[in-house]
Amino acid sequence: MIELVRKLPAPFLEQVSVSVAKELKRKRAELLGEVEDLVLRIKANNKQASAINQLIAIYDPAHKQSLTLRMEHKQSRQAIPIPPKLKQLQQERSNP
C-alpha cells in the first residue's frame, strides 16, 4: 500500500496534503467554536441557578446554610486548573 502511495505523482500528493490539513483546521475551528458556546451556556446556567438559589433562600432559610456548605466544597474542587492545552486552544481561537 505504501509503495502505491509513493508512486503517485508529487503534485497529487501535495494537493491531498493541503486538503487534509485544510479540513483538519476547519474541524478544529468548529470544535473550538462549540467549546466557546458551551462555556457561555455554562455561565448563563450558573447565573440562573444563583438567582434561583436566592429565591429559594427567601422561602426556605435553611436552604441558604446548606447551600453555603455545598459552595465551600465545590470551590475546593474547582481549584484544579484548566489543562494548558485547552487554554492554548482557547487563546489561539480568540487570536486568529
Side-chain angles (χ1 to χ4, degrees), residues 1-21:
M1 179 75 170
I2 294 174
E3 290 179 26
L4 290 174
V5 171
R6 288 183 184 156
K7 291 180 182 179
L8 292 171
F12 176 77
L13 291 176
E14 290 173 10
Q15 185 180 14
V16 169
S17 294
V18 169
S19 64
V20 168

Side-chain angles (χ1 to χ4, degrees), residues 11-60:
F12 176 77
L13 291 176
E14 290 173 10
Q15 185 180 14
V16 169
S17 294
V18 169
S19 64
V20 168
K22 185 177 179 180
E23 182 61 23
L24 290 171
K25 289 176 184 178
R26 185 201 62 77
K27 184 61 177 178
R28 180 179 171 274
E30 178 185 324
L31 291 172
L32 290 175
E34 289 178 22
V35 167
E36 286 181 6
D37 291 343
L38 291 171
V39 167
L40 292 174
R41 284 184 59 196
I42 289 169
K43 287 179 181 179
N45 286 350
N46 283 338
K47 286 181 181 179
Q48 290 177 357
S50 178
I52 290 171
N53 283 333
Q54 291 174 1
L55 289 172
I56 292 171
I58 292 170
Y59 295 98
D60 181 9

Side-chain angles (χ1 to χ4, degrees), residues 74-86:
K74 182 180 177 183
Q75 288 173 348
S76 67
R77 291 185 315 176
Q78 287 181 344
I80 300 170
I82 295 175
K85 189 65 177 174
L86 179 57

Side-chain angles (χ1 to χ4, degrees), residues 63-96:
H63 176 76
K64 187 174 184 178
Q65 292 173 345
S66 66
L67 181 62
T68 302
L69 293 175
R70 284 185 294 207
M71 290 302 289
E72 288 172 1
H73 178 69
K74 182 180 177 183
Q75 288 173 348
S76 67
R77 291 185 315 176
Q78 287 181 344
I80 300 170
I82 295 175
K85 189 65 177 174
L86 179 57
K87 190 177 281 188
Q88 177 187 359
L89 291 173
Q90 288 174 336
Q91 289 172 349
E92 288 173 4
R93 174 75 172 141
S94 63
N95 299 322

